[in-house]
Amino acid sequence: MSLLRGQISHAILAKREDSPLWTAKYDLGITGFIITASAMLILMITGLGLLYSGLVRRKNGLSLFFICIASSFVVTFQWYFWGYSLAFSSTATNGFIGNLDSFGFKNLFEARTENAEYPELLFAIFEGFFAAVACVITVGAIAERGRIFPSLIFSFVWATVVYCPIACWVWNTNGWAYKYNVLDYAGGGAVEIASGFSGFAYSIVLKSRDFTEPVQNFRPHNNSLIALSGMLLWCSWCFFNAGTALAPNMRAIVALINTNLSGVVGALTWCFLDWRIERKFSLIGLTSGLICGLVAATPSSAFIPPWASVIQGIVSAVVCNFATGLKYLIGVDDALDILAEHGLAGVIGLLFNAIFAADYIITLDGVTEHGGGWITHNYKQLYIQVAFICAAAGYSFVVSLIICYVIDIIPGCKLRASKDGEMTGMDEDQLGEFAYDYVEIRREFYDWNNTLGGSSPAPEPETVPEPKDGDLTNAGTSIDEREKSSQGESSVDKEKQGPVAQ
């Protein structure tokens, strides 16, 4: 994709001599294809939000969905403001980052060439969703302990100084990786590696969750959400990769086939890896394997033949499955396995380009020319890919670490929530809203045990704050007393109040 994106054409906007209207010469089929692919990427952001929400405990689910959506909004504005210009400006020649020539989408309406098939403005919108998806993956690192406001600041800064430079390296015609002939179709470096290693850096700064809670039940709270998110991601990832061809041509079809094959084979492989241990199948395992296969297909789906995608799905699932244990060896609480399932899967996809990229696949769009990888005897592609992987991983990790430390020392921007807030849950601490109504009344597991007649002592009843302005409604009344009062029962003296009988 690095070669294809560098050849994008700018729309002709010719002004009629006898009319104030502008006329544009576009291929309507190609334009409609890119518009559809752009809109469908919203499903990917939604799917990631539901996935992260389902993977955490119920008291944190809504806040994680919120940060996924909110961070995508922040990056969408950043992309309009200066992100697109920093990544794709055609007048910057330093090879590292663009300039502000297209600040605020400026100059995207002007005539550039005479063979435009779609407007550059549409291309800018399409690429903006890539940046948003990358940031959404990254901010999942705040799971169950991170504050929302600092993470929104992080999103804007990260998109500017991490995502935009890496995108410029590999997709801008003046980028050093583009000139180095790196093969990265739809974002193995800028999207997957950058988000995976940046999320890991964020987790290091946040430190581990509080594992001293009275009831330690750190398990996904809603498997149905996880399954639904997997299907949304499966659908949207097909548009993500096929749409990157920027035309409904044979190369887009191959990208669609490879994305599908890599995803489903990865899902089945991960599922059987889990089955070998407990002799039970796992819906979470099926979804995790699907995501790993889709991530690996991101940089490679338009470069390798379909049979190689089958191998890619198996390899990505096996490697990422075992890589989920790295966080225990290193001692970093990567709660959602962002490094394993995104960072390392992106590495695998880029390495598969070095081995299995085929020149007869790459040229299917009728525009791009490249020697491919080892199977077409282009052996030097391996060290080219490795150099880019090391640059993208090292740069994104180090710079993200610096961003996190700097934001963390700014007054009012501490990245981590308080211990009490973590115990209560990020939904209440950061949002004041709940995904489930019963959380407000019975927040912790031992509260339900007490209600059902358990042997543990009853928690002290919560008391409403003293009334203001003479309002005596429910003054000093506990929650349990208000519940009984609403059911027509008599009030109970707080000193004699015991567990609720069932």
Side-chain angles (χ1 to χ4, degrees), residues 174-229:
N174 295 315
W176 68 264
Y178 177 89
K179 295 179 178 178
Y180 202 38
N181 286 327
V182 170
L183 288 174
D184 185 0
Y185 175 63
V191 177
E192 306 301 348
I193 289 179
S195 62
F197 283 84
S198 295
F200 197 70
Y202 205 130
S203 297
I204 291 176
V205 178
L206 280 178
K207 298 182 174 57
S208 297
R209 288 166 288 177
D210 183 8
F211 293 109
T212 62
E213 293 189 17
V215 178
Q216 295 188 25
N217 186 29
F218 291 87
R219 300 177 62 185
H221 86 278
N222 195 321
N223 292 358
S224 297
L225 276 185
I226 297 172
L228 175 61
S229 71

Side-chain angles (χ1 to χ4, degrees), residues 11 38 45 47 75 85 161 220 256 301 308 337 341 382 421 433 444 448 469 480 499:
S38 300
I45 296 171
V75 175
S85 187
V161 300
L256 177 62
S301 57
D337 292 317
E341 296 195 27
L382 178 59
E433 298 174 339
E444 300 297 343
W448 283 106
D469 299 328
D480 287 337

Side-chain angles (χ1 to χ4, degrees), residues 18 76 172 185 323 347 386 425 472 477 502:
D18 58 343
T76 298
N172 193 309
Y185 175 63
V347 169
V386 171
L472 300 179
T477 306
Q502 296 296 317

Side-chain angles (χ1 to χ4, degrees), residues 222-409:
N222 195 321
N223 292 358
S224 297
L225 276 185
I226 297 172
L228 175 61
S229 71
M231 297 303 99
L232 290 175
L233 290 172
W234 186 15
C235 171
S236 56
W237 227 297
C238 289
F239 282 93
F240 187 89
N241 288 347
T244 303
L246 301 177
N249 52 32
M250 193 64 186
R251 196 180 188 195
I253 296 173
V254 171
L256 177 62
I257 294 172
N258 285 339
T259 301
N260 198 42
L261 280 174
S262 183
V264 298
V265 172
L268 294 173
T269 302
W270 189 301
C271 198
F272 281 111
L273 285 173
D274 286 352
W275 179 84
R276 86 189 192 283
I277 299 175
E278 299 184 1
R279 293 298 187 267
K280 293 181 180 180
F281 292 106
S282 167
L283 188 59
I284 297 176
L286 194 73
T287 305
S288 298
L290 173 66
I291 292 173
C292 289
L294 294 173
V295 169
T298 299
S300 65
S301 57
F303 295 147
I304 64 177
W307 57 266
S309 288
V310 175
I311 303 174
Q312 179 178 256
I314 296 173
V315 172
S316 62
V318 172
V319 172
C320 296
N321 183 286
F322 286 101
T324 57
L326 286 176
K327 61 185 180 183
Y328 302 110
L329 296 176
I330 303 174
V332 176
D333 187 14
D334 184 8
L336 302 179
D337 292 317
I338 297 174
L339 177 64
E341 296 195 27
H342 290 275
L344 296 185
V347 169
I348 292 170
L350 287 169
L351 290 177
F352 261 69
N353 284 341
I355 307 298
F356 297 103
D359 53 6
Y360 59 88
I361 298 292
I362 298 173
T363 58
L364 285 175
D365 62 354
V367 177
T368 308
E369 295 182 6
H370 193 280
W374 281 18
I375 66 172
T376 51
H377 310 294
N378 182 24
Y379 301 108
K380 66 179 182 180
Q381 194 63 37
L382 178 59
Y383 69 75
I384 292 174
Q385 297 295 111
V386 171
F388 176 66
I389 290 170
C390 293
Y395 177 82
S396 58
F397 178 79
V398 172
V399 176
S400 297
L401 206 61
I402 295 172
I403 295 171
C404 289
Y405 277 122
V406 171
I407 294 177
D408 195 49
I409 63 176

Side-chain angles (χ1 to χ4, degrees), residues 414-482:
K414 194 163 186 63
L415 295 179
R416 181 161 182 152
S418 66
K419 185 174 181 179
D420 289 341
E422 185 179 348
M423 182 76 72
T424 302
M426 293 297 100
D427 288 359
E428 181 172 347
D429 185 68
Q430 295 293 301
L431 291 182
E433 298 174 339
F434 303 90
Y436 309 97
D437 290 339
Y438 62 81
V439 177
E440 296 185 59
I441 301 175
R442 295 288 182 265
R443 184 179 297 111
E444 300 297 343
F445 175 79
Y446 50 76
D447 289 341
W448 283 106
N449 181 49
N450 194 28
T451 300
L452 296 174
S455 58
S456 58
E460 290 294 325
E462 183 178 343
T463 302
V464 177
E466 290 298 321
K468 298 180 180 180
D469 299 328
D471 182 6
L472 300 179
T473 304
N474 290 329
T477 306
S478 70
I479 291 177
D480 287 337
E481 288 174 337
R482 295 201 307 272

